[in-house]
Amino acid sequence: MSSSASPSHPKVGITEVARHAGVSPGTVSNVLNRPERVAAGTRQRVERAIAELDYVRNSSGSSLRSGRSSSVGLLVLDVTNPFFTEVSRGVEDEAATQGLAVVLLNSAEARERQRRNIRLLAEQRAAGAVVMPVDDDLSDLLWLRRQGTAWVALDRGDVGEDTGCSVSVDNREGGLIAGRHLIGLGHERVTFLSGPFSIEQVRLRHEGLRAAFAEAGLDPDTSVRLVERGQLNPGQGERAVDEVLAGGPRQRPGAVLCANDQLALGLMKGLGRRGLRVPDDISVMGYDDVDFADLIHPGLTTIAQPKYDLGRAAMRLLNSELDDPDHRHERLLFTPELIVRGSTAAHRPA
């Protein structure tokens, strides 16, 4: 076994790089942190020494000296939800333009876990954070800012500009669009399969759905039934079948709008196990347009959100705050879009 493969092989530091390149340790530090201050020939010599010695810089040490690391946190509600895959890609691509690494954290829709992760970001001196809060209480984020860590709220539209930056999609409009689609198909009684109402997005989608029925001259209190679940995942959707079908065939809704695609996919699985066909027996609609929504049969009708753009815009605002001490907080609002596939069809009387 060669010495370079040995676990006891000594780590190379700035002093060794400087000696190898024939420069001072300060010059090596400048090449690593302020390369524009170093003459091109000297910089190339140092970079060659770094490559030849396989030097890895100690970012933790430099972050302690500067008070800020080269990483940012991305805290999402559910790391298993493919919606966040595209959001994360947008955050990461934008962070890379500033040489920042992204650390993905999962709150699992739990406030205590969110609090622990936010404290961890403060302890690690993260440069900043993009956070999807678990509920309306922003005290964790306000605490994080008091520790000197900037943040942007992701998919939350109710953050005041005097509080912080936010990037969101118009969830009420999304619910309105979904409702108009189902009403246009002749559905006058629908069920909204919901996640926790503590999540702002869920409440606004329900509000928009009810507004669509009111707009059509139908009473939302009798036209829209709410079935609330504890989480927004496929297992919860599958387990909601009994509640959705409660009352027998005559009470069965003609359509179900789910608060996200995860719930919708689980519900469709559960309905299939009961021998019910989508959309022949009941229409099902999701929200988010995750990547595999069009890979199932029938394809899932849903409300698409610009997931990648959402993440990229959030990170762009965070970069702006990190670069400019006089940064003014902004609120960005994207518009959702109806994607019609095979899981919704015209109402058929029972």
Side-chain angles (χ1 to χ4, degrees):
M1 180 180 293
S2 67
S3 61
S4 61
S6 170
S8 61
H9 183 65
K11 293 181 179 179
V12 175
I14 283 183
T15 302
E16 287 76 21
V17 172
R19 187 182 301 117
H20 193 79
V23 298
S24 70
T27 299
V28 176
S29 179
N30 279 337
V31 170
L32 294 171
N33 300 297
R34 297 172 292 276
E36 71 281 357
R37 296 186 178 183
V38 184
T42 303
R43 186 170 68 246
Q44 290 169 8
R45 196 160 74 248
V46 171
E47 290 170 347
R48 188 161 54 248
I50 288 171
E52 290 172 355
L53 295 177
D54 200 19
Y55 167 74
V56 178
R57 68 185 300 172
N58 183 351
S59 294
S60 62
S62 61
S63 66
L64 286 173
R65 289 188 296 273
S66 66
R68 196 179 93 179
S69 78
S70 58
S71 65
V72 295
L74 170 59
L75 180 54
V76 300
L77 287 177
D78 180 6
V79 75
T80 67
N81 187 338
F83 169 80
F84 295 111
T85 303
E86 280 297 287
V87 172
S88 300
R89 193 167 67 85
V91 171
E92 194 167 36
D93 284 354
E94 186 63 30
T97 66
Q98 301 298 315
L100 295 169
V102 178
V103 177
L104 181 62
L105 301 166
N106 180 30
S107 70
E109 300 176 22
R111 164 157 281 282
E112 185 53 39
R113 190 158 171 178
Q114 171 183 281
R115 181 172 291 118
R116 289 201 308 268
N117 283 323
I118 283 180
R119 181 165 290 277
L120 178 64
L121 290 172
E123 290 172 354
Q124 296 296 319
R125 302 294 190 270
V130 174
V131 181
M132 176 176 277
V134 297
D135 54 31
D136 294 339
D137 185 351
L138 299 180
S139 59
D140 290 340
L141 290 180
L142 297 177
W143 177 87
L144 186 63
R145 191 178 297 282
R146 289 197 298 271
Q147 309 313 307
T149 303
W151 53 264
V152 172
L154 177 67
D155 209 14
R156 284 295 298 267
D158 62 347
V159 177
E161 290 184 9
D162 58 338
T163 303
C165 287
S166 67
V167 179
S168 62
V169 182
D170 192 336
N171 286 287
R172 187 182 187 280
E173 179 69 14
L176 186 66
I177 293 169
R180 287 169 177 166
H181 170 68
L182 295 175
I183 292 167
L185 292 172
H187 295 288
E188 296 187 358
R189 284 194 311 114
V190 304
T191 291
F192 182 69
L193 180 53
S194 162
F197 255 51
S198 60
I199 298 176
E200 180 205 39
Q201 301 92 306
V202 170
R203 293 198 308 274
L204 290 177
R205 291 167 193 177
H206 178 249
E207 182 182 309
L209 176 64
R210 287 175 55 87
F213 279 86
E215 176 186 82
L218 300 167
D219 183 0
D221 291 336
T222 57
S223 295
V224 180
R225 177 169 170 258
L226 174 65
V227 172
E228 186 176 355
R229 304 300 296 181
Q231 290 182 304
L232 292 155
N233 59 47
Q236 292 286 338
E238 187 174 0
R239 288 190 287 275
V241 171
D242 286 342
E243 290 181 77
V244 170
L245 300 179
R250 291 191 176 277
Q251 297 298 316
R252 188 172 71 211
V256 180
L257 171 63
C258 300
N260 73 350
D261 289 345
Q262 297 276 82
L263 285 174
L265 294 171
L267 177 65
M268 289 172 70
K269 180 181 177 182
L271 291 170
R273 288 189 167 180
R274 295 294 186 86
L276 294 173
R277 297 167 299 170
V278 175
D280 296 344
D281 297 314
I282 186 169
S283 290
V284 175
M285 189 170 180
Y287 203 110
D288 284 342
D289 194 29
V290 298
D291 286 346
F292 49 75
D294 63 343
L295 299 180
I296 60 172
H297 181 76
L300 181 63
T301 296
T302 187
I303 300 294
Q305 302 197 77
K307 301 176 284 295
Y308 178 83
D309 292 339
L310 192 68
R312 188 138 203 174
M315 190 62 222
R316 190 175 295 126
L317 286 179
L318 183 58
N319 278 335
S320 174
E321 184 164 356
L322 294 176
D323 292 339
D324 181 7
D326 298 320
H327 163 89
R328 294 184 61 184
H329 297 315
E330 296 182 51
R331 295 174 63 183
L332 300 183
L333 187 65
F334 288 85
T335 302
E337 177 186 2
L338 173 65
I339 306 294
V340 179
R341 299 191 179 102
S343 67
T344 52
H347 173 62
R348 300 176 184 178

